[in-house]
Amino acid sequence: MRRSLLAAWQNASTVHEKLVFGAWLKYEKQGEELIADLLATCGKCAQEFGTIDVSSQLPFEVNTSSYETVSVNGNQILKSVVFRIGEEKIVCDRQKISSLSAPFHAMLNGCFSESLCEDIDLSENNISASGMKLIREFSVTGSLSGARPHLLLEILVFANQFCCERLKDACDRILASLVLSRDDAVELLECALEENCRVLAASCLQVFLNDLPNCINDSRIVEIFRHADRQQRFIMVGPASFSLYCLLSEVAVNLDPRSDTTACFLERLAEFAENDRQRMLAFHQLACVRLMRKEYDEAERLFEAALKVGHLYSVTGLARLACIKGNKLWSYEKLSSVISSMSPLGWMYQERSLYCEGDKRWQDLEKTTELDPTLTYPYMFRAASMMRNENVQAALAEINRILGFKLALECLELRFCFYLALEDYQSALCDVQAILTLSPEYRMFEGRVAASQLRTLVREHVQNWTTADCWLQLYDRWSSVDDIGSLSVIYQMLESDSAKGVLYFRQSLLLLRLNCPEAAMRSLQLARQHASSDHEQLVYEGWILYDTGHCEEGLRKAEESIKIKRSFEAFFLKAYALADSSQDPSCSSSTVISLLDDALKCPSDRLRKGQALNNLGSVYVDCGKLDLAAECYTEALNIRHTRAHQGLARVHSMKNNKSAAYEEMTRLIEKAQNNASAYEKRSEYCDRELTKADLEMVTRLDPLRVYPYRYRAAVLMDSHKEQEAIAELSRAIAFKADVHLLHLRAAFHEHIGDVLGALRDCRAALSVDPSHQEMLELQSRVNSHEP
């Protein structure tokens, strides 16, 4: 999404679009200021979307018209003119003043009586003597330098009244440069809109947008956006009204989807939609807000409007409204009609399950999981039903199915409730601590109770662990690849252990493994904050930079840390970053080996040493030094680094001993609680039938892993079952638009001559990864066949 926003910003056709998309990118990057600061310490500037020089982006359109001086009734035009304002007289050059605008030219040089007057009274024209003196100065020098803001506003109104475009433009630009705060912008925008000052208006808008989301809480600004008419909007944001209100709506929804401000912005969004794609987005979002606000009639009208212009998912809103109004049968039939009229998706069956009971509901929810295994509601419903029927083990197994591949907070909360009901307080504590790691402010039971309060209550029923107990528990859980359990132990250790930096760092590693990158980055920043020394802080800064794609800067931080003190983590980081950034693999391998050797010579615990040995073994395998690799993996296994089984299996395979490799992976499967990846790897070391069985198990344990779908599709394609192969890939693409899946399906479409299908998949994949080389080549090839 950020890449698309960046492309929109780079290709903006107006300064107003640039303002909106730049502010949107800045809003999305909230909380990442530390990364920019760290890059600055490395002498590199992060790409920022700061203040745009609006004035330079909106040049003054010069009017080249010239005004010819004529005489009236044979009388020569006077060279000077005196403007009287009250008791004060301002002597001006008649031709200089007349050159300011056509009205002045006509008045001073044309057929008006003023052309014959040396003295003209301007007392009733809302201009002060001080203002007129500045206008005189401008007529000679073309500059208003040193003018005070209140005089600039006065001159601006006067310039508009007498059509003095150059004078007005000068006021517009100087006033725009004075907009430095939200209060300035609020005060000056009204004038900008009244006097049609596009530079000042855009500058005020920029101040508002750069202050998102805070400015949404300012009622003065909300009123401006709420009541701006068509002409005022055009002055302020040009043709980018829809984009502006898209952004404002997004921010407002994130703050409070039920608020009047959110509803107002979405109303304006719908008003400014110019095509069906924009209308379906605006109508559906506004309908959802109306539904949350219990404004049911208006919500129904909007859902119908969205559905009419092609937003199929709006049928769910209509179904829910019908159910609220007591017409459950209509809801069921409406969803049935949708399901029967197209290739159904998981959400359709899930939605229909809400409007039936008994076996029908179970069947719909089973179909939901078959079509889209990432939807959490079916697992939760089935597990809760089993628990009500006192089928405890089946209930836990069902909720564990989804927690095995998707760490959903609502599912952890449900399992916590199960453990409470079973009085298994240790397991309940584990889950609530995992919840608090992921979301420290999380509230349970539909937001009524803070998770931290429940943890306090549960803690009273659990035996306290000493620091030594915690390390033993962490070691056991890490070794058995129990990532949720490990998270819980670290959360508990953070309450008392003084080495918080190390613990937050371990927490970030686990969260990355659980595919929770935002929570992982938060933990990594906390690790930096709680680092006990400068060299430790540099290591965490290096990981922050590395994890955000700044590999070379991460490497530099590791080197700075090593200069202060040789440590395991600094050498490990340097080895990791170097392996990723080096252009010459043969040269980098020896350096990485040396760095990992240095790391292993430094003090550390067995958890991290096992990881270093595992990485060292991988480098040796890449270099073809299989015996040395086997030694590393064996040593790692001796200190219970369970994942080293996978590396050792690879060594056996490269020595043409696939049965030993298969057995090695079987040992990993037996030891690891999260073992989908182990089944996937084992499938490489057996015959086709066992491979098929292992990959079916992978899909059952973690349906988000894409390799099994690709393998099965390839086997079907080899058997000339093209449509079945495409269907296998489509099954996964329906809930995971993975580039590799799209690439393979595009190739299959090309193979069977479906050019349009191939192009569709190429475009979808390149939207996700525009630099995917194989996809670009395929698209080029397919384009040559397009009819």
Side-chain angles (χ1 to χ4, degrees):
M1 187 197 71
R2 285 193 188 182
R3 187 172 56 238
S4 294
L5 271 176
L6 178 59
W9 180 79
Q10 290 168 336
N11 292 282
S13 58
T14 67
V15 66
H16 304 99
E17 286 184 349
K18 213 168 188 69
L19 288 176
V20 172
F21 298 137
W24 205 327
L25 279 160
K26 184 179 177 183
Y27 173 72
E28 289 294 329
K29 288 164 75 74
Q30 285 180 104
E32 296 181 14
E33 294 80 9
L34 174 62
I35 297 164
D37 293 342
L38 293 179
L39 286 171
T41 65
C42 299
K44 181 178 179 181
C45 292
Q47 184 168 21
E48 292 300 323
F49 304 95
T51 304
I52 293 173
D53 182 3
V54 174
S55 185
S56 67
Q57 300 281 320
L58 290 172
F60 175 58
E61 296 174 3
V62 181
N63 188 342
T64 57
S65 301
S66 61
Y67 308 118
E68 184 181 354
T69 301
V70 297
S71 60
V72 180
N73 298 327
N75 295 318
Q76 185 64 35
I77 298 295
L78 298 171
K79 286 187 176 182
S80 62
V81 61
V82 177
F83 291 111
R84 186 161 30 83
I85 299 171
E87 298 301 319
E88 196 158 352
K89 295 181 179 182
I90 299 97
V91 179
C92 302
D93 183 306
R94 183 180 291 268
Q95 297 314 315
K96 296 291 186 184
I97 295 294
S98 71
S99 69
L100 291 177
S101 71
F104 265 129
H105 179 78
M107 180 174 74
L108 298 177
N109 292 333
C111 302
F112 292 91
S113 60
E114 286 87 351
S115 64
L116 302 177
C117 298
E118 187 176 359
D119 190 315
I120 299 173
D121 189 357
L122 287 183
S123 300
E124 303 300 320
N125 289 91
N126 298 314
I127 187 72
S128 66
S130 299
M132 196 62 215
K133 287 175 183 177
L134 285 168
I135 294 171
R136 176 183 63 186
E137 182 71 18
F138 180 83
S139 72
V140 175
T141 66
S143 171
L144 286 171
S145 59
R148 293 180 178 276
H150 73 279
L151 287 175
L152 287 169
L153 289 170
E154 186 180 295
I155 294 167
L156 176 63
V157 175
F158 182 85
N160 233 3
Q161 182 181 350
F162 286 91
C163 305
C164 304
E165 293 302 322
R166 283 192 304 113
L167 180 61
K168 173 187 171 182
D169 182 70
C171 292
D172 189 3
R173 292 173 192 279
I174 296 172
L175 286 168
S177 70
L178 300 177
V179 182
L180 303 175
S181 68
R182 191 196 303 178
D183 288 338
D184 292 340
V186 170
E187 184 179 341
L188 290 171
L189 183 60
E190 182 180 356
C191 175
L193 297 179
E194 283 182 5
E195 304 300 331
N196 191 12
C197 297
R198 56 187 191 140
V199 179
L200 178 56
S203 299
C204 294
L205 175 65
Q206 177 167 229
V207 169
F208 296 153
L209 295 183
N210 284 343
D211 195 24
L212 290 172
N214 298 327
C215 75
I216 297 297
N217 295 317
D218 189 326
S219 59
R220 299 172 301 170
I221 296 172
V222 171
E223 287 303 302
I224 289 169
F225 289 130
R226 183 196 295 263
H227 296 299
D229 61 28
R230 184 184 185 87
Q231 182 183 355
Q232 290 171 332
R233 281 197 330 274
F234 190 80
I235 295 167
M236 179 169 56
V237 73
S241 287
F242 187 83
S243 299
L244 170 63
Y245 282 85
C246 238
L247 170 58
L248 295 174
S249 301
E250 171 92 358
V251 176
V253 165
N254 290 340
L255 287 173
D256 180 4
R258 292 179 175 83
S259 71
D260 290 343
T261 299
T262 301
C264 165
F265 287 162
L266 284 169
E267 283 173 0
R268 305 309 305 271
L269 185 70
E271 180 185 339
F272 308 144
E274 296 177 351
N275 54 52
D276 283 351
R277 184 167 294 183
Q278 292 180 352
R279 275 187 279 274
M280 69 169 73
L281 171 73
F283 290 154
H284 182 79
Q285 287 190 326
L286 181 55
C288 289
V289 167
R290 295 296 186 206
L291 178 59
M292 282 189 276
R293 289 161 62 95
K294 299 184 178 180
E295 298 167 1
Y296 298 136
D297 291 341
E298 183 63 13
E300 183 175 7
R301 184 187 69 78
L302 288 160
F303 279 129
E304 285 175 347
L307 184 62
K308 186 177 180 180
V309 291
H311 198 278
L312 180 62
Y313 190 68
S314 295
V315 75
T316 61
L318 292 171
R320 294 190 188 194
L321 284 164
C323 185
I324 288 169
K325 294 176 179 179
N327 198 348
K328 209 171 183 179
L329 179 60
W330 185 93
S331 302
Y332 184 86
E333 290 175 347
K334 186 69 173 176
L335 268 300
S336 298
S337 171
V338 170
I339 289 169
S340 62
S341 63
M342 63 188 64
S343 297
L345 296 168
W347 65 261
M348 299 174 184
Y349 283 98
Q350 174 175 283
E351 194 65 27
R352 192 174 72 171
S353 75
L354 302 177
Y355 313 116
C356 54
E357 304 294 339
D359 290 343
K360 280 187 175 181
R361 175 174 284 189
W362 275 82
Q363 288 166 9
D364 274 357
L365 290 175
E366 288 293 346
K367 190 67 176 177
T368 299
T369 302
E370 177 190 328
L371 293 172
D372 187 350
T374 66
L375 295 172
T376 59
Y377 174 73
Y379 301 92
M380 296 173 70
F381 176 86
R382 289 189 292 260
S385 298
M386 293 167 182
M387 199 67 179
R388 287 193 202 97
N389 294 330
E390 299 184 359
N391 194 348
V392 174
Q393 293 308 313
L396 287 171
E398 183 63 27
I399 202 65
N400 287 340
R401 276 176 66 193
I402 187 154
L403 286 171
F405 66 90
K406 185 175 181 178
L407 199 55
L409 290 171
E410 64 271 22
C411 295
L412 276 172
E413 180 181 346
L414 183 59
R415 191 170 71 174
F416 166 81
C417 295
F418 290 173
Y419 285 135
L420 279 187
L422 297 170
E423 298 184 4
D424 182 352
Y425 297 117
Q426 185 65 61
S427 297
L429 183 66
C430 174
D431 279 351
V432 76
Q433 289 182 161
I435 287 170
L436 287 166
T437 299
L438 290 163
S439 179
E441 305 301 320
Y442 190 76
R443 299 184 68 83
M444 301 171 94
F445 302 116
E446 297 180 323
R448 290 194 294 269
V449 185
S452 55
Q453 287 181 271
L454 288 169
R455 177 185 177 269
T456 302
L457 295 172
V458 172
R459 188 80 190 274
E460 295 174 4
H461 299 275
V462 176
Q463 182 180 353
N464 282 330
W465 289 342
T466 65
T467 300
D469 291 333
C470 285
W471 276 105
L472 285 171
Q473 288 289 334
L474 180 60
Y475 189 57
D476 285 343
R477 292 169 193 243
W478 200 289
S479 299
S480 63
V481 198
D482 175 9
D483 295 333
I484 294 176
S486 299
L487 273 184
S488 174
V489 175
I490 288 177
Y491 185 91
Q492 196 159 327
M493 293 170 78
L494 281 164
E495 284 193 328
S496 56
D497 201 293
S498 57
K500 283 185 165 56
V502 173
L503 291 172
Y504 278 121
F505 178 57
R506 298 292 169 82
Q507 192 180 75
S508 73
L509 297 175
L510 284 166
L511 289 165
L512 279 177
R513 211 150 74 186
L514 289 163
N515 196 28
C516 302
E518 290 180 7
M521 182 54 65
R522 184 175 64 242
S523 295
L524 202 45
Q525 292 184 4
L526 285 168
R528 175 186 178 273
Q529 184 180 323
H530 289 88
S532 59
S533 63
D534 288 344
H535 75 267
E536 184 184 340
Q537 180 175 311
L538 284 165
V539 169
Y540 302 144
E541 289 177 355
W543 279 114
I544 289 170
L545 290 167
Y546 177 84
D547 287 346
T548 51
H550 305 287
C551 186
E552 290 183 9
E553 289 72 25
L555 185 59
R556 195 179 306 175
K557 291 288 182 181
E559 290 168 347
E560 289 177 31
S561 179
I562 292 168
K563 285 178 184 176
I564 299 173
K565 183 177 179 180
R566 295 166 65 86
S567 69
F568 174 90
E569 292 298 351
F571 280 118
F572 189 90
L573 168 60
K574 185 175 180 181
Y576 209 92
L578 189 66
D580 193 36
S581 64
S582 178
Q583 301 294 317
D584 184 352
S586 60
C587 176
S588 71
S589 294
S590 58
T591 308
V592 171
I593 289 168
S594 174
L595 288 167
L596 289 172
D597 279 335
D598 286 336
L600 289 164
K601 291 171 187 173
C602 297
S604 186
D605 59 70
R606 289 185 292 176
L607 293 174
R608 293 298 283 158
K609 291 214 173 206
Q611 183 65 62
L613 286 164
N614 194 62
N615 287 17
L616 184 56
S618 297
V619 179
Y620 278 135
V621 169
D622 293 338
C623 296
K625 299 176 180 179
L626 300 183
D627 291 336
L628 287 172
E631 288 177 20
C632 288
Y633 290 131
T634 302
E635 191 178 343
L637 287 170
N638 288 338
I639 55 175
R640 295 178 62 192
H641 186 77
T642 310
R643 293 175 187 271
H645 282 297
Q646 184 168 318
L648 197 52
R650 186 181 173 202
V651 171
H652 290 316
S653 174
M654 293 180 76
K655 289 183 175 182
N656 295 317
N657 191 348
K658 282 202 169 184
S659 61
Y662 184 88
E663 290 170 10
E664 201 67 49
M665 291 308 300
T666 302
R667 294 188 189 99
L668 176 55
I669 287 168
E670 291 167 351
K671 291 180 183 179
Q673 285 200 23
N674 298 321
N675 52 22
S677 63
Y679 276 105
E680 183 173 297
K681 199 67 185 174
R682 190 177 73 169
S683 71
E684 298 176 16
Y685 307 130
C686 50
D687 60 38
R688 177 168 282 195
E689 286 305 311
L690 288 174
T691 294
K692 185 178 176 182
D694 273 355
L695 293 179
E696 287 295 342
M697 178 60 79
V698 173
T699 299
R700 200 153 51 243
L701 294 173
D702 184 355
L704 294 175
R705 300 187 76 89
V706 300
Y707 173 72
Y709 303 99
R710 294 169 64 200
Y711 175 87
R712 289 189 290 264
V715 170
L716 289 166
M717 204 68 177
D718 288 343
S719 303
H720 305 290
K721 298 177 179 178
E722 290 89 350
Q723 293 304 326
E724 291 176 49
I726 290 171
E728 177 65 24
L729 295 173
S730 300
R731 179 161 73 106
I733 289 169
F735 58 85
K736 183 171 183 179
D738 178 81
V739 172
H740 302 291
L741 294 173
L742 286 164
H743 177 247
L744 191 57
R745 191 172 72 173
F748 288 178
H749 280 308
E750 181 196 27
H751 177 76
I752 64 173
D754 182 359
V755 173
L756 293 178
L759 278 175
R760 180 197 59 208
D761 284 347
C762 286
R763 289 163 183 156
L766 290 170
S767 297
V768 178
D769 183 2
S771 59
H772 193 284
Q773 193 57 41
E774 291 179 336
M775 208 73 206
L776 288 167
E777 291 170 4
L778 178 58
Q779 185 187 40
S780 176
R781 193 166 65 243
V782 173
N783 270 327
S784 66
H785 301 317
E786 188 176 9

